[in-house]
Structures are given as structure tokens and as C-alpha cells.
Amino acid sequence: MFSLLQKLLSLACACASCGLVAGCGEKESDRPEVKRREVRDELVPLRLRQLERVDRLPEAGEGRPAVSPKAFAAEPASLGRALAAVAPGADWPSEALSQAALGQLKKLVSGADAGEVLAEEFRATALRGEDGAPVPVSADHFPALLRTLTDEPEKIHFKMIGVEVSGETFVTRSHFETDAREGDAVVERSGVWSCEWQVAEPPRLRLLRVEEFEEVRGTKPFFEERTAAALGRNPRFGAQVLRGIEYWAQRITYFGDMSMTGHHGIAIGDVNGDGLEDVYVCDAGSLPNQLYLQQPDGSAVEAAADWGVDWLEDSRSALLVDLDNDGDEDLVVATIAMIAFAENTGAGKFILRGGHPGAQYPFSLSAADYDNDGDLDIYACVYGAGDDALSGKRGFEARSPIPFNDANNGGRNVLLENTGQFRFGDVTDEVGLKAHNTRWSFAAAWEDYDRDGDPDLYVANDFGRNCFYRNDRGHFTEIAEESGVEDMAAGMSVAWGDYNRDGAADLYVGNMFSSAGSRVAYQRQFATGQKEDAITGLQRMARGNSLFAGSGEGGAFTDVSLEAGAALGGWAWSSALADFNNDGWEDIAVANGYLTNTREDDL
């Protein structure tokens, strides 16, 4: 295994390699082509270094005691104090009532006596979304009402997304989900319940109204879990991949750049030219990246060491793309220190061709031929602004986003122009991408949305406004606000597609959905003294994902997130528009989740 980067680069060396100058692009198609002076190659040489024993901490039994998981866990007393500090009290009665109502809903579907939850005057609408006014339902008949929704009521799960208190009553809004097998069919039902409660100890449910309802039915699942079957025969799969972060946090030092939040991407491509897609997997610092070569039987063989790419640098993103137009896919990896480029020799090896030092702490990579010269160029989203030499802090710890919902103090994204033969130079500022370029960017995607022959760029930013750059023959103009796609939220991912089949490019943006934020941000005591636009901005950050319908040929977009049912995607990260069931309509897939402990009282 190897450590990739020769971390002996000085600022003077980096600056000496800069020689970027470029001309201006014009929007009108009848203007001359963009003229630029030569872009100098800015890649610096890198060397692979064999990891020596001295680079590792001694194992348990070699002068270092083993650390037990119990010792690693938080001290119970400290955990209790932390929970008490965030528990709703007299200053937030709405949150206390919301928690109590959630407990009552769970009791209601668990098979307990409905009389312990329902008020005497309880009324309800039909639970499967049929039209109709609420009707009286007795506690004795409520179990029969539940069975119209599912034969397994105990599998109904809730997430509280809204609460409003008014005198002796309060109203909650809860998202629910349930799934079941009915004969040969797989059925998933979800929606929103609006519940009116009596303020009591515990609360009593007076009215249940179904606001939203959706049923999805299929004869078989779209996907089958095959991870272990495909990868499980590789020794490092069990030893490295199947171990959780708590395991590695006990064994890898801070110096090893171990990331606790798992921001490590993958790249898919056919590296050996056999017609089968292979997978390159990035990993945290001190853990080797992996290359899985697909076999004809559907399994995969891990071969990163053989190919020379089992690097130990903390790697956040990768691309398998043909950078030199020789017909095979080369490798680009965004490491914590720089962007590394490796050439595919076509003979079962990658050769390290150098690294670009102008993008520390990159979070994602994307490729496009922005200037239509026949070579793929590389765009890197750089999240934080780098290290703080005075405090010794790194990455996100070194600088916080300010203000939280409209930050512009993050890292500087870079566009690296490919001038052939693995020569790359930073042309970000010269081509117009300097505008709003430090907004804690998480992901970007290219699409020729205005159908003028060159790719345009959308950038999702984690703390506030997103950016949309229109490409006019090699020069970019930031047009997010005028196009209606600023999407002031916690941007995590970008996907382009045509969800409504009208021929215009549509845009899907993955954001954070917060049930707590959806409740708290609408309370009267929330952010008192703040301006209204600041409060509405924070409310928007909790809403979830965004779907923007394109108008075609460069027009503005329309936010159709709510009416299309595309907003709720969990704590979203990556997302994609694709036709998964081959019915001609693009579906949405969202990867979501975060560091958490098990909670039995939440969805």
C-alpha cells in the first residue's frame, strides 16, 4: 500500500507554476470564438512512497492497550447532561406536545387500547385518501379503521413535521410510512396525517384527517441486494468495508485524515476494456482505496494494488474518464491535499501523472468539455477554505459558514482546463466562474440546458444559495436568481433529466430535510428579532429536495417540488433521475441518512 502525495509543496512553488490568461466569451452566436492565450500546465510531480512500519501506531499488545467499544462510547452522565440541555422545556411547549403526540400515535398503532388515546368525540377521515368528511369513530371500531390501511398496523412509522398550539388544543402534522406484501404484490403506503389533540396528560386525539396519501404497488422489488455476493469473496471487503466508523476511529489517528462523516465517493467505468463496468471506491485517510474489477459471473475482484491505485490519502471523489483520448478510462481522484491524475496504460496499470495543488479539501469532481476543444476538463467543488495554521484546525473545523443560510466564506471551486497529454491549468476566474465561487460547494453537474451546443454548470452549495452558470461559447455567466434555481437550502447533489418528457432539461437538487426544523422554524418564538426574509430562508432549508421543471431554450425554471411529490427525500446526499422500471418515465433515487444512534420513537 502506498501514501500518494509528496507533501513538500510550498506556496511559492505553486504560484510559480501559474500563468493563466484568457480572453472573453460572448453570448451572441454571431460573435467570434473565445480567444485565450496559452494555459500553462500546473500539475506538480507526485511520487508513491511505500508505507513503512514506523508510519503506523503499534497494535494492541505492542505497547498499546486495546480500546474497548464501551470505553470509546460517551460517558453516560455526560450524555444525560447533553440530552437534558436540548430537551424541550417550558420555553418550547410545542416541542414537548409534539413528542407526547408522537408517543400517543405509536401507542395507537401498536395494538394498545385505543380508548387510552382517543377522545370521546373522536372523528376521522378514511385512511387511504378517499374524499369525504370526518365521521365519528369509536375506540372499539378504530382497529378496524386501521386495518383498511394495513393488516400490520404496528409497521406504521411516523415522523412529526409540524405542530401548532392554540389554547386548549394543538394540531400536529406527521408523515407516515408503511409497507407490506399482499399476495404477490409489494405495497408501500405513505402520506401526511393532520391530528387535532386536546392538551392533556397525555394528549387525547380529537380529529384525524388524511392530508396526503400515496400508494405504490409492484409485483416485485426493483432491486435485489447483491453486495455480499458480488464483493464478499475479497479479503479486504470484510476487513475494511464492513467495519463501522466507530471501529476505525479507535485505530486511526487524526494525522491520518480519517473523516467521521463518510464523504467518500465512487467512480464507475470499464478500466480494462472488457465491456464490463468496474468500480473505484474512495476511502478515508489511512485506509486504501479499492478497485473492483467486474467478472463475467457478476462478482468482482479487488485489484487496486495490482493497478497501483490503492492510495492511502483521504479521498473524497473520483472520476473514470478518458482524459487523453486514447480509448481507455483514466483516473482522477480528489484527495484532501490535491487532485491527482493517473493515466491508464491499457496494460493493467495506472501511472501517476501529477497533481493539482489548487484545490485543497475538494468534495466532488465532474467532467465536461466546456470549451468544445475535444478534451474533457475537470471541475472540482471545494467545500471548506482549508487549514488554519494558527489554530491547527483542519477542514470544516477551521472555518464555519457565516451566515448559516447564506454563507460565502467557503473554499474556492476550480475549473481545470485540459490542454492535452495530461496538462491541466486553472482557468476558473478567466472564464467567468469567479462569481459566487466560495459558497461551501458540495456537488456540480453539467447539462446543455439552453441547447446552444455547450455544457452549462449547476453547483449545489451546502449553506445557502446555489449557483447556475450559463456557458456562452466558453465563457460563463451566473444566472441562478434570474432562472429561479437559487434554491436557498442545504444543497448536497445535482441531477439533470427530463421527468415530464417535454424535451426540456429538468433539474433535481438533493437537500437536507429536517422534521425538527419543519416544526420549530414555524413557531412564533423562533428567531425572534430576525428579519422576515432570514426566517423564511431558514424555513426553506428544512423543506427538503427541489425539482425544477425547465422551459427549454434557456428560459426560467418552475419549482414543482411539492406538487410533484419530490421534496421529501430524508437527509439527502446523492440523487439521480433514471427510468428504473422501464416504463418510459424517469424516476428519482435519493441516498439519505446521517450519523445517528437508534431511535425507536422516530421514522
Side-chain angles (χ1 to χ4, degrees):
M1 300 176 186
F2 297 90
S3 178
L4 186 156
L5 299 178
Q6 182 185 10
K7 298 180 179 177
L8 300 175
L9 302 173
S10 67
L11 180 61
C13 176
C15 291
S17 67
C18 296
L20 301 178
V21 280
C24 299
E26 301 293 342
K27 179 181 178 181
E28 293 81 0
S29 59
D30 56 347
R31 295 296 179 88
E33 292 288 343
V34 176
K35 299 294 183 181
R36 294 194 188 91
R37 289 186 289 174
E38 180 181 358
V39 176
R40 183 177 298 177
D41 179 29
E42 296 177 350
L43 294 197
V44 297
L46 303 175
R47 65 182 177 87
L48 296 173
R49 183 174 71 85
Q50 183 75 37
L51 187 69
E52 304 294 340
R53 183 66 185 175
V54 70
D55 295 311
R56 293 189 181 276
L57 288 176
E59 299 290 339
E62 298 178 1
R64 175 174 176 260
V67 182
S68 71
K70 289 184 179 179
F72 180 72
E75 181 184 350
S78 300
L79 180 60
R81 287 193 295 269
L83 291 175
V86 299
D91 53 340
W92 282 96
S94 59
E95 281 296 280
L97 291 171
S98 175
Q99 284 191 358
L102 177 60
Q104 289 290 80
L105 285 177
K106 292 179 69 65
K107 181 184 292 186
L108 193 62
V109 301
S110 68
D113 182 3
E116 298 178 7
V117 178
L118 304 180
E120 291 184 4
E121 68 274 23
F122 174 71
R123 295 175 300 138
T125 61
L127 297 187
R128 297 182 64 163
E130 299 91 343
D131 293 334
V135 298
V137 179
S138 69
D140 291 339
H141 287 87
F142 187 79
L145 181 64
L146 273 181
R147 285 194 293 273
T148 65
L149 181 63
T150 174
D151 289 333
E152 300 177 281
E154 68 279 2
K155 293 178 64 176
I156 303 176
H157 302 287
F158 300 97
K159 183 174 285 291
M160 306 301 282
I161 59 175
V163 58
E164 183 176 348
V165 183
S166 178
E168 296 302 312
T169 64
F170 68 100
V171 176
T172 62
R173 298 179 70 247
S174 56
H175 173 76
F176 78 88
E177 294 180 9
T178 187
D179 60 82
R181 285 188 174 272
E182 296 181 358
D184 294 333
V186 178
V187 182
E188 293 187 357
R189 299 185 178 102
S190 62
V192 174
W193 284 3
S194 175
C195 298
E196 180 182 316
W197 304 84
Q198 291 176 346
V199 177
E201 184 63 42
R204 294 283 182 159
L205 182 58
R206 297 180 57 189
L207 174 65
L208 191 162
R209 187 188 301 272
V210 177
E211 282 189 6
E212 301 174 17
F213 180 79
E214 181 178 65
E215 177 177 296
V216 178
R217 181 180 295 266
T219 56
K220 60 180 180 180
F222 289 163
F223 297 97
E224 180 181 352
E225 172 62 55
R226 299 288 296 168
T227 309
L231 309 180
R233 284 182 283 177
N234 294 284
R236 280 198 0 227
F237 179 72
Q240 178 177 342
V241 179
L242 294 187
R243 297 191 187 277
I245 191 68
E246 73 283 354
Y247 175 89
W248 294 114
Q250 299 175 58
R251 290 162 172 80
I252 295 179
T253 68
Y254 186 66
F255 180 76
D257 295 319
M258 165 65 73
S259 172
M260 298 296 174
T261 49
H263 296 145
H264 309 292
I266 66 173
I268 297 176
D270 180 9
V271 300
N272 54 6
D274 63 356
L276 301 174
E277 299 279 28
D278 311 306
V279 182
Y280 187 77
V281 181
C282 297
D283 214 327
S286 300
L287 293 175
N289 295 348
Q290 300 179 78
L291 175 63
Y292 289 100
L293 303 181
Q294 186 178 171
Q295 306 300 301
D297 64 357
S299 65
V301 174
E302 205 288 305
D306 295 338
W307 282 69
V309 288
D310 58 335
W311 302 332
L312 297 178
E313 301 299 322
D314 183 20
S315 303
R316 304 298 177 85
S317 179
L319 295 173
L320 286 169
V321 290
D322 188 0
L323 296 174
D324 52 1
N325 294 321
D326 65 351
D328 52 34
E329 294 180 319
D330 308 300
L331 178 66
V332 190
V333 180
T335 78
I336 195 171
M338 65 178 63
I339 300 174
F341 294 82
E343 180 183 1
N344 190 337
T345 67
K349 291 284 184 182
F350 284 103
I351 297 177
L352 194 59
R353 295 298 300 267
H356 195 282
Q360 283 193 332
Y361 295 96
F363 259 37
S364 66
L365 300 172
S366 57
D369 184 6
Y370 89 96
D371 52 0
N372 288 328
D373 67 350
D375 294 315
L376 284 175
D377 311 298
I378 303 298
Y379 186 79
C381 289
V382 181
Y383 192 66
D387 301 340
D388 185 334
L390 295 178
S391 67
K393 294 181 178 179
R394 315 182 70 177
F396 187 81
E397 296 177 354
R399 181 180 300 182
S400 298
I402 301 174
F404 184 78
N405 65 321
D406 196 11
N408 200 17
N409 64 335
R412 174 184 175 271
N413 303 334
V414 297
L415 176 65
L416 301 181
E417 182 172 328
N418 183 352
T419 60
Q421 299 181 350
F422 284 88
R423 296 190 298 263
F424 291 86
D426 182 348
V427 296
T428 311
D429 296 352
E430 287 74 16
V431 300
L433 291 174
K434 183 178 181 180
H436 310 310
N437 194 37
T438 54
R439 288 183 169 176
W440 298 86
S441 300
F442 217 104
W446 299 82
E447 170 68 33
D448 183 11
Y449 92 105
D450 52 4
R451 305 297 190 249
D452 66 349
D454 45 34
D456 311 292
L457 178 66
Y458 190 88
V459 182
N461 299 317
D462 194 0
F463 296 99
R465 306 170 197 268
N466 292 343
C467 297
F468 187 28
Y469 300 96
R470 185 185 64 223
N471 185 353
D472 298 310
R473 308 180 74 183
H475 191 274
F476 294 89
T477 303
E478 210 285 304
I479 60 168
E481 182 178 10
E482 67 187 74
S483 299
V485 292
E486 268 195 323
D487 200 40
M488 197 169 177
M492 303 290 178
S493 60
V494 187
W496 289 95
D498 183 9
Y499 89 98
N500 54 4
R501 303 201 306 190
D502 65 352
D506 305 314
L507 177 66
Y508 189 68
V509 184
N511 297 308
M512 176 192 70
F513 167 77
S514 171
S515 57
S518 298
R519 299 189 309 268
V520 171
Y522 288 88
Q523 301 304 308
R524 292 183 180 89
Q525 68 266 44
F526 175 73
T528 54
Q530 297 294 318
K531 294 181 179 179
E532 183 177 353
D533 59 348
I535 294 175
T536 56
L538 289 169
Q539 291 170 345
R540 169 63 192 90
M541 290 194 75
R543 189 192 76 176
N545 300 344
S546 297
L547 177 62
F548 297 100
S551 59
E553 298 183 359
F557 291 75
T558 302
D559 187 343
V560 296
S561 313
L562 297 178
E563 53 263 50
L568 182 59
W571 192 297
W573 298 99
S574 184
S575 53
L577 282 164
D579 182 8
F580 293 109
N581 57 350
N582 296 320
D583 66 352
W585 294 89
E586 288 182 335
D587 312 299
I588 298 175
V590 181
N592 66 78
Y594 198 58
L595 294 173
T596 183
N597 288 319
T598 300
R599 286 191 59 180
E600 297 181 355
D601 63 341
D602 201 1
L603 177 62

